[in-house]
PDB file of all heavy atoms in Angstrom:
ATOM      1  N   LEU A 479      -9.347  -5.933  -4.895  1.00 98.00           N
ATOM      2  CA  LEU A 479      -9.415  -5.025  -6.041  1.00 98.00           C
ATOM      3  C   LEU A 479      -8.621  -3.751  -5.817  1.00 98.00           C
ATOM      4  O   LEU A 479      -7.859  -3.309  -6.682  1.00 98.00           O
ATOM      5  CB  LEU A 479     -10.875  -4.654  -6.316  1.00 98.00           C
ATOM      6  CG  LEU A 479     -11.868  -5.768  -6.619  1.00 98.00           C
ATOM      7  CD1 LEU A 479     -13.244  -5.169  -6.869  1.00 98.00           C
ATOM      8  CD2 LEU A 479     -11.408  -6.576  -7.816  1.00 98.00           C
ATOM      9  N   LEU A 480      -8.818  -3.108  -4.667  1.00 98.00           N
ATOM     10  CA  LEU A 480      -8.228  -1.789  -4.451  1.00 98.00           C
ATOM     11  C   LEU A 480      -6.760  -1.880  -4.064  1.00 98.00           C
ATOM     12  O   LEU A 480      -5.975  -0.998  -4.408  1.00 98.00           O
ATOM     13  CB  LEU A 480      -9.019  -1.028  -3.384  1.00 98.00           C
ATOM     14  CG  LEU A 480     -10.494  -0.809  -3.705  1.00 98.00           C
ATOM     15  CD1 LEU A 480     -11.139   0.114  -2.676  1.00 98.00           C
ATOM     16  CD2 LEU A 480     -10.692  -0.244  -5.109  1.00 98.00           C
ATOM     17  N   ASP A 481      -6.355  -2.921  -3.347  1.00 97.00           N
ATOM     18  CA  ASP A 481      -4.941  -3.090  -3.056  1.00 97.00           C
ATOM     19  C   ASP A 481      -4.140  -3.200  -4.347  1.00 97.00           C
ATOM     20  O   ASP A 481      -3.069  -2.597  -4.491  1.00 97.00           O
ATOM     21  CB  ASP A 481      -4.712  -4.341  -2.204  1.00 97.00           C
ATOM     22  CG  ASP A 481      -4.833  -4.078  -0.714  1.00 97.00           C
ATOM     23  OD1 ASP A 481      -4.571  -2.938  -0.296  1.00 97.00           O
ATOM     24  OD2 ASP A 481      -5.182  -5.007   0.026  1.00 97.00           O
ATOM     25  N   VAL A 482      -4.652  -3.988  -5.303  1.00 98.00           N
ATOM     26  CA  VAL A 482      -3.941  -4.171  -6.572  1.00 98.00           C
ATOM     27  C   VAL A 482      -3.974  -2.895  -7.398  1.00 98.00           C
ATOM     28  O   VAL A 482      -2.933  -2.402  -7.863  1.00 98.00           O
ATOM     29  CB  VAL A 482      -4.527  -5.360  -7.352  1.00 98.00           C
ATOM     30  CG1 VAL A 482      -3.962  -5.404  -8.772  1.00 98.00           C
ATOM     31  CG2 VAL A 482      -4.233  -6.668  -6.629  1.00 98.00           C
ATOM     32  N   LEU A 483      -5.170  -2.322  -7.595  1.00 98.00           N
ATOM     33  CA  LEU A 483      -5.255  -1.097  -8.390  1.00 98.00           C
ATOM     34  C   LEU A 483      -4.516   0.047  -7.700  1.00 98.00           C
ATOM     35  O   LEU A 483      -3.892   0.887  -8.361  1.00 98.00           O
ATOM     36  CB  LEU A 483      -6.721  -0.739  -8.615  1.00 98.00           C
ATOM     37  CG  LEU A 483      -7.020   0.390  -9.613  1.00 98.00           C
ATOM     38  CD1 LEU A 483      -6.356   0.129 -10.956  1.00 98.00           C
ATOM     39  CD2 LEU A 483      -8.528   0.559  -9.787  1.00 98.00           C
ATOM     40  N   GLY A 484      -4.538   0.077  -6.359  1.00 97.00           N
ATOM     41  CA  GLY A 484      -3.767   1.080  -5.628  1.00 97.00           C
ATOM     42  C   GLY A 484      -2.276   0.918  -5.836  1.00 97.00           C
ATOM     43  O   GLY A 484      -1.538   1.910  -5.932  1.00 97.00           O
ATOM     44  N   GLY A 485      -1.791  -0.329  -5.925  1.00 98.00           N
ATOM     45  CA  GLY A 485      -0.373  -0.553  -6.221  1.00 98.00           C
ATOM     46  C   GLY A 485      -0.005  -0.074  -7.609  1.00 98.00           C
ATOM     47  O   GLY A 485       1.073   0.507  -7.824  1.00 98.00           O
ATOM     48  N   LEU A 486      -0.899  -0.305  -8.575  1.00 98.00           N
ATOM     49  CA  LEU A 486      -0.640   0.184  -9.937  1.00 98.00           C
ATOM     50  C   LEU A 486      -0.560   1.705  -9.966  1.00 98.00           C
ATOM     51  O   LEU A 486       0.328   2.293 -10.606  1.00 98.00           O
ATOM     52  CB  LEU A 486      -1.742  -0.291 -10.882  1.00 98.00           C
ATOM     53  CG  LEU A 486      -1.954  -1.803 -11.044  1.00 98.00           C
ATOM     54  CD1 LEU A 486      -2.990  -2.067 -12.121  1.00 98.00           C
ATOM     55  CD2 LEU A 486      -0.662  -2.510 -11.380  1.00 98.00           C
ATOM     56  N   LEU A 487      -1.486   2.358  -9.266  1.00 98.00           N
ATOM     57  CA  LEU A 487      -1.474   3.819  -9.235  1.00 98.00           C
ATOM     58  C   LEU A 487      -0.250   4.339  -8.489  1.00 98.00           C
ATOM     59  O   LEU A 487       0.302   5.393  -8.832  1.00 98.00           O
ATOM     60  CB  LEU A 487      -2.751   4.334  -8.578  1.00 98.00           C
ATOM     61  CG  LEU A 487      -4.025   4.166  -9.412  1.00 98.00           C
ATOM     62  CD1 LEU A 487      -5.262   4.387  -8.557  1.00 98.00           C
ATOM     63  CD2 LEU A 487      -4.022   5.113 -10.602  1.00 98.00           C
ATOM     64  N   GLY A 488       0.202   3.601  -7.459  1.00 98.00           N
ATOM     65  CA  GLY A 488       1.411   4.004  -6.746  1.00 98.00           C
ATOM     66  C   GLY A 488       2.624   4.005  -7.656  1.00 98.00           C
ATOM     67  O   GLY A 488       3.446   4.932  -7.625  1.00 98.00           O
ATOM     68  N   ALA A 489       2.753   2.978  -8.495  1.00 98.00           N
ATOM     69  CA  ALA A 489       3.871   2.938  -9.447  1.00 98.00           C
ATOM     70  C   ALA A 489       3.761   4.058 -10.474  1.00 98.00           C
ATOM     71  O   ALA A 489       4.765   4.672 -10.858  1.00 98.00           O
ATOM     72  CB  ALA A 489       3.910   1.579 -10.147  1.00 98.00           C
ATOM     73  N   GLU A 490       2.549   4.348 -10.927  1.00 98.00           N
ATOM     74  CA  GLU A 490       2.345   5.452 -11.868  1.00 98.00           C
ATOM     75  C   GLU A 490       2.777   6.773 -11.241  1.00 98.00           C
ATOM     76  O   GLU A 490       3.436   7.604 -11.884  1.00 98.00           O
ATOM     77  CB  GLU A 490       0.876   5.521 -12.276  1.00 98.00           C
ATOM     78  CG  GLU A 490       0.560   6.633 -13.259  1.00 98.00           C
ATOM     79  CD  GLU A 490      -0.924   6.716 -13.585  1.00 98.00           C
ATOM     80  OE1 GLU A 490      -1.545   5.659 -13.809  1.00 98.00           O
ATOM     81  OE2 GLU A 490      -1.454   7.836 -13.620  1.00 98.00           O
ATOM     82  N   ALA A 491       2.419   6.981  -9.964  1.00 97.00           N
ATOM     83  CA  ALA A 491       2.784   8.227  -9.284  1.00 97.00           C
ATOM     84  C   ALA A 491       4.295   8.350  -9.146  1.00 97.00           C
ATOM     85  O   ALA A 491       4.863   9.442  -9.318  1.00 97.00           O
ATOM     86  CB  ALA A 491       2.112   8.285  -7.912  1.00 97.00           C
ATOM     87  N   VAL A 492       4.972   7.242  -8.829  1.00 98.00           N
ATOM     88  CA  VAL A 492       6.435   7.276  -8.715  1.00 98.00           C
ATOM     89  C   VAL A 492       7.066   7.655 -10.053  1.00 98.00           C
ATOM     90  O   VAL A 492       8.000   8.469 -10.114  1.00 98.00           O
ATOM     91  CB  VAL A 492       6.973   5.922  -8.219  1.00 98.00           C
ATOM     92  CG1 VAL A 492       8.492   5.857  -8.368  1.00 98.00           C
ATOM     93  CG2 VAL A 492       6.587   5.690  -6.763  1.00 98.00           C
ATOM     94  N   LEU A 493       6.573   7.067 -11.140  1.00 98.00           N
ATOM     95  CA  LEU A 493       7.117   7.393 -12.459  1.00 98.00           C
ATOM     96  C   LEU A 493       6.907   8.869 -12.787  1.00 98.00           C
ATOM     97  O   LEU A 493       7.797   9.522 -13.351  1.00 98.00           O
ATOM     98  CB  LEU A 493       6.472   6.506 -13.524  1.00 98.00           C
ATOM     99  CG  LEU A 493       6.887   5.029 -13.473  1.00 98.00           C
ATOM    100  CD1 LEU A 493       5.932   4.179 -14.292  1.00 98.00           C
ATOM    101  CD2 LEU A 493       8.317   4.862 -13.974  1.00 98.00           C
ATOM    102  N   ALA A 494       5.739   9.406 -12.426  1.00 97.00           N
ATOM    103  CA  ALA A 494       5.505  10.832 -12.637  1.00 97.00           C
ATOM    104  C   ALA A 494       6.466  11.666 -11.796  1.00 97.00           C
ATOM    105  O   ALA A 494       6.970  12.706 -12.251  1.00 97.00           O
ATOM    106  CB  ALA A 494       4.062  11.180 -12.284  1.00 97.00           C
ATOM    107  N   GLY A 495       6.739  11.213 -10.561  1.00 97.00           N
ATOM    108  CA  GLY A 495       7.692  11.919  -9.713  1.00 97.00           C
ATOM    109  C   GLY A 495       9.109  11.881 -10.262  1.00 97.00           C
ATOM    110  O   GLY A 495       9.835  12.882 -10.235  1.00 97.00           O
ATOM    111  N   LEU A 496       9.519  10.723 -10.770  1.00 97.00           N
ATOM    112  CA  LEU A 496      10.860  10.607 -11.355  1.00 97.00           C
ATOM    113  C   LEU A 496      10.993  11.456 -12.610  1.00 97.00           C
ATOM    114  O   LEU A 496      12.037  12.085 -12.844  1.00 97.00           O
ATOM    115  CB  LEU A 496      11.161   9.142 -11.676  1.00 97.00           C
ATOM    116  CG  LEU A 496      11.439   8.230 -10.477  1.00 97.00           C
ATOM    117  CD1 LEU A 496      11.406   6.766 -10.898  1.00 97.00           C
ATOM    118  CD2 LEU A 496      12.794   8.577  -9.848  1.00 97.00           C
ATOM    119  N   LEU A 497       9.938  11.496 -13.426  1.00 95.00           N
ATOM    120  CA  LEU A 497       9.989  12.326 -14.624  1.00 95.00           C
ATOM    121  C   LEU A 497      10.024  13.803 -14.246  1.00 95.00           C
ATOM    122  O   LEU A 497      10.743  14.604 -14.865  1.00 95.00           O
ATOM    123  CB  LEU A 497       8.783  12.026 -15.510  1.00 95.00           C
ATOM    124  CG  LEU A 497       8.786  12.665 -16.893  1.00 95.00           C
ATOM    125  CD1 LEU A 497      10.014  12.249 -17.695  1.00 95.00           C
ATOM    126  CD2 LEU A 497       7.508  12.291 -17.652  1.00 95.00           C
ATOM    127  N   THR A 498       9.288  14.170 -13.202  1.00 94.00           N
ATOM    128  CA  THR A 498       9.334  15.547 -12.694  1.00 94.00           C
ATOM    129  C   THR A 498      10.748  15.904 -12.259  1.00 94.00           C
ATOM    130  O   THR A 498      11.251  17.006 -12.536  1.00 94.00           O
ATOM    131  CB  THR A 498       8.359  15.705 -11.514  1.00 94.00           C
ATOM    132  OG1 THR A 498       7.029  15.480 -11.976  1.00 94.00           O
ATOM    133  CG2 THR A 498       8.460  17.086 -10.896  1.00 94.00           C
ATOM    134  N   ARG A 499      11.410  14.966 -11.582  1.00 95.00           N
ATOM    135  CA  ARG A 499      12.786  15.224 -11.133  1.00 95.00           C
ATOM    136  C   ARG A 499      13.726  15.435 -12.315  1.00 95.00           C
ATOM    137  O   ARG A 499      14.585  16.324 -12.290  1.00 95.00           O
ATOM    138  CB  ARG A 499      13.272  14.044 -10.277  1.00 95.00           C
ATOM    139  CG  ARG A 499      14.639  14.284  -9.681  1.00 95.00           C
ATOM    140  CD  ARG A 499      15.112  13.105  -8.853  1.00 95.00           C
ATOM    141  NE  ARG A 499      15.491  11.963  -9.683  1.00 95.00           N
ATOM    142  CZ  ARG A 499      16.140  10.903  -9.210  1.00 95.00           C
ATOM    143  NH1 ARG A 499      16.440  10.826  -7.919  1.00 95.00           N
ATOM    144  NH2 ARG A 499      16.472   9.901 -10.004  1.00 95.00           N
ATOM    145  N   GLU A 500      13.557  14.618 -13.348  1.00 92.00           N
ATOM    146  CA  GLU A 500      14.419  14.779 -14.512  1.00 92.00           C
ATOM    147  C   GLU A 500      14.169  16.108 -15.213  1.00 92.00           C
ATOM    148  O   GLU A 500      15.092  16.707 -15.765  1.00 92.00           O
ATOM    149  CB  GLU A 500      14.191  13.621 -15.490  1.00 92.00           C
ATOM    150  CG  GLU A 500      14.668  12.274 -14.988  1.00 92.00           C
ATOM    151  CD  GLU A 500      16.164  12.243 -14.719  1.00 92.00           C
ATOM    152  OE1 GLU A 500      16.930  12.896 -15.472  1.00 92.00           O
ATOM    153  OE2 GLU A 500      16.569  11.583 -13.745  1.00 92.00           O
TER     154      GLU A 500
END
Side-chain angles (χ1 to χ4, degrees):
L479 301 180
L480 301 188
D481 273 332
V482 170
L483 189 53
L486 300 186
L487 289 166
E490 180 183 316
V492 169
L493 290 164
L496 287 167
L497 188 58
T498 297
R499 185 181 73 169
E500 292 299 324

